[in-house]
Amino acid sequence: MSRPRLEPGTVVRYGGRQWTVTGIEASSVSGARIWLSGTEEEGGEDTLAVFGLAKLLGDATFESVGGPPRLRVPQMGLLSTVSEGEQWRAFELERHVREVETGCPALDGTASVRSEYDPASTTLAQREQAKADELAAQGWADVSRATVRRWRARYHADGVWGLVKKRGGSTQLDRADPQVVEALRALLPVEASRSRSRGWKKRMRGEVRWWLEDHHRKHGGRPVKVPAQSTFNKLLDTVETSLGLQGTVAQRRARAARPAPPFKPTLALRPGEIVMLDSTPLDVLVVLDDGVVGRLELTIAVDVAVCGLWGVLRPAGSKLTDVAVLLAQMMTPMVMRPGWSAGLSMAASVVPHERLTSVDERLKDAAARPVIVPETVVVDQGKVFVSPATRAACESLGISLQPVPPANGPAKGHVERSFGSINSLFCQWLPGHTGSNVSERGSKVEQEPLWTVAELQALWEEFLVYWHHRPHAGLRHPLMPKKALTPNQMWAALLPVAGYVPVPLSADDFVELLPVRWQPITDAGIRFDYRTYDDSCLNGHRGQDSGVRAQKGLWEVHYNPYDPVRIWVRLPEGFREVAWIHTTSVALPFTHHVWEHICKVVERTGSREEHEAELALALDAFLRRAARKEKLSAVERRVVAKSRAADTVQVPSGELNVLDVPAPSFGLAGVYATPDPDDETWPDENEENDEDVVGGGLEAGRVSGGSLILSDQDFEEDQWLP
């Protein structure tokens, strides 16, 4: 009696239509089948359909019309959330409801049927009234026929759980006017999509009132009054929670940028398969120069497969040169620095050092850090990352550049999470830590004993090696899922599968990674940014067309913003280096920051050639004053600080593999070399020309065989420095 009884003539509901059972067949071959007939609502024609009995009874839309309620397994998970007394009350109500509908209170149908509940002699309304009278006589309070009818409806809808007494009244949304709720739901998504500042709730109440007035004017109907401010505030919080807009504007923006679940992890099976790049200001104050305090910008790359980390610190915004340095760092081994522990070397790590050294000799004295060749680089919509120059540089190295959608941080979650790890493992331990936002910043951070850029850069390079010795909770090997691995361990595990192929970068490869611009070759040479570059190699191409139709015949020029004294031009025979015509007029190296400052303060009074010569003389005078540490204005100190800090990270050039030497420790050009007191080749500190040398008075520098060759006008001949 507790299950639907199907026989010819039984009326059932299935698929939103009402059917009548016309026949049932039981077969050992095809199984039980049932014939149903129904009438089309529109055409009025009879329809005959055949269904499998098991499939029909298992469908959630199937029910017997006018028969007993469908028997359900009690929802014990939900029932366990209420007291035992409420559970027994629900089971008792189930027996009363089933007695009203079937005449038998027991689920198995073994109990006898009482006359007042016999479906053959009484109607359903009579049985409902009889049950209400019976329970009232037993002392049940407020039980009427309507109450019994509600019990039946809840039992049909939710089974035994529907008979549990639910506590709590109506919610804030139930009590509110539907039109006010509609206005909030219409206004809040618009505000979130345009990333408008949150503002006060009083402003939102005014916007809702205006929306209701416009809606009433267009559609008529009854006028709706906006609730009082206190009531409106509670309603606004409830609607924001229902729409997922609670929290700060940053939290709302993050939820809006998050892709729709279910989330699938980014899977990389070999080193370099997926590399993610991003940049952010470092949460540490540093002393740039002459007491100027500022923050550096950190650009990092994270390999998804081995969780490798590479990074570049700069005092200004990221440039394409920083992307070039990162790509070069990933493909070039890091040389052990003086003073580092031997435990940080690759020879002391789990990496098969001897086997790798036989393939790539550069790994002999390398630090324990993975060397990978990126295949796919994932970046955001930053200008430097999606620029045509970046695309061209990646294409020249065979790297696929994959920009993520705008404002979609979760698409590159690995690099975003790495920034948090850098803050917790590196930044917060340093003096001058500013915190991730203003609310976490101390009141006198600038007065702490701040580090210089060179000191921070040296510590950062050591931290990069330490990172690859630290186990990461999210780095697991499929054969060892319970053990957290270090990036070096994962790299060593993937090397036998993915292999290792050394990729030495030539001078032309470094030039390809530098920023590019298109310029004509005139009789005067190549001119841009108030500088003229000329050389005899340009003869034969002056005034000629490059043949690149997309650039209207202009020539491809690569430049280094941290070393503007030379450029590289792509000629038919390959890249050729072209020097600035006033290189010999400027004794000290400089960067683009210094040149921009000189162009702003020097007014043009003559021809273009005369103006460029005046700029060169003013630049030389400024650099000499900065090297002698004469009194400078606040603006000039900031310019010098930016220039000197920019030189703490070497950038690729056509003459030297700067990634094989440590970061510089002093000077505008910043040549890193520690003076030896016993070495007579180093100038004495008391000599007058010491300022010129320490100030970076070097016209050129290169690395050869592990030694640094410096050429300076104060030296009689080239000298080898250790």
Side-chain angles (χ1 to χ4, degrees), residues 25 107 245 354-355 361 374 394 406 429 453-454 464 490 561 567 608-609 622 635 637 639 673 676:
E25 176 191 14
L107 300 181
L245 299 177
E354 295 183 358
R355 295 178 58 187
E361 295 183 356
C394 291
W429 302 97
V453 178
L464 288 179
M490 179 60 78
I567 60 174
R608 179 168 183 171
E609 291 76 10
F622 175 77
V635 175
R637 287 201 305 270
V639 172
D676 188 353

Side-chain angles (χ1 to χ4, degrees), residues 209-327:
R209 184 177 68 253
W210 299 334
W211 189 94
L212 292 174
E213 292 174 355
D214 292 342
H215 187 270
H216 175 68
R217 186 164 46 253
K218 294 178 181 179
H219 304 283
R222 64 179 180 85
V224 180
K225 184 178 180 181
V226 183
Q229 188 67 56
S230 58
T231 306
F232 178 82
N233 294 347
K234 299 177 182 178
L235 179 61
L236 178 60
D237 293 338
T238 305
V239 176
E240 283 185 339
T241 303
S242 65
L243 296 176
L245 299 177
Q246 70 276 16
T248 63
V249 176
Q251 293 172 338
R252 286 161 42 184
R253 189 183 300 114
R255 282 192 295 267
R258 186 178 60 180
F263 304 116
K264 296 181 180 179
T266 302
L267 182 62
L269 302 178
R270 57 187 180 275
E273 182 178 357
I274 300 178
V275 177
M276 298 184 178
L277 269 65
D278 201 1
S279 61
T280 188
L282 194 69
D283 295 336
V284 177
L285 294 178
V286 296
V287 179
L288 298 179
D289 188 75
D290 292 341
V292 178
V293 176
R295 295 174 63 180
L296 303 178
E297 181 158 325
L298 175 63
T299 304
I300 65 172
V302 176
D303 180 73
V304 175
V306 302
C307 202
L309 178 66
W310 299 264
V312 177
L313 289 172
R314 289 293 187 194
S318 298
K319 293 180 171 55
L320 180 60
T321 311
D322 303 327
V323 180
V325 171
L326 272 180
L327 296 177

Side-chain angles (χ1 to χ4, degrees), residues 509-547:
D509 293 327
F510 287 129
V511 173
E512 291 282 5
L513 297 174
L514 294 176
V516 62
R517 62 187 302 162
W518 296 85
Q519 298 290 141
I521 300 179
T522 64
D523 292 338
I526 300 175
R527 288 177 170 176
F528 64 89
D529 288 344
Y530 298 99
R531 296 188 302 271
T532 303
Y533 300 87
D534 200 4
D535 190 84
S536 59
C537 65
L538 301 180
N539 296 336
H541 306 290
R542 302 178 189 272
Q544 300 298 318
D545 192 297
S546 66

Side-chain angles (χ1 to χ4, degrees), residues 178-194 204 207-208 211 215 239 243 245:
Q179 292 193 29
V180 177
V181 177
E182 181 185 358
L184 286 172
R185 293 184 182 276
L187 292 173
L188 285 175
V190 175
E191 182 171 331
S193 63
R194 64 190 178 193
M204 180 58 68
E207 292 186 358
V208 170
W211 189 94
H215 187 270
V239 176
L243 296 176
L245 299 177

Side-chain angles (χ1 to χ4, degrees), residues 69 89-90 92-98 100-101 128 131-132 135-136 140-160 162-165:
R89 180 181 181 277
E92 186 178 358
L93 286 179
E94 181 188 23
R95 290 192 293 271
H96 290 307
V97 170
R98 299 197 65 84
V100 170
E101 298 198 347
E128 289 176 347
K131 179 59 66 175
L135 295 179
W140 288 58
D142 300 330
V143 178
S144 62
R145 178 189 167 190
T147 304
V148 177
R149 191 184 306 116
R150 286 194 297 271
W151 289 345
R152 291 181 50 245
R154 294 173 184 171
Y155 185 69
H156 277 270
D158 300 322
V160 180
L163 301 177
V164 175
K165 187 176 181 181

Side-chain angles (χ1 to χ4, degrees), residues 573-588:
E573 59 271 18
F575 279 112
R576 298 298 298 271
E577 180 180 326
V578 181
W580 184 34
I581 61 175
H582 293 288
T583 300
T584 56
S585 301
V586 181
L588 303 177

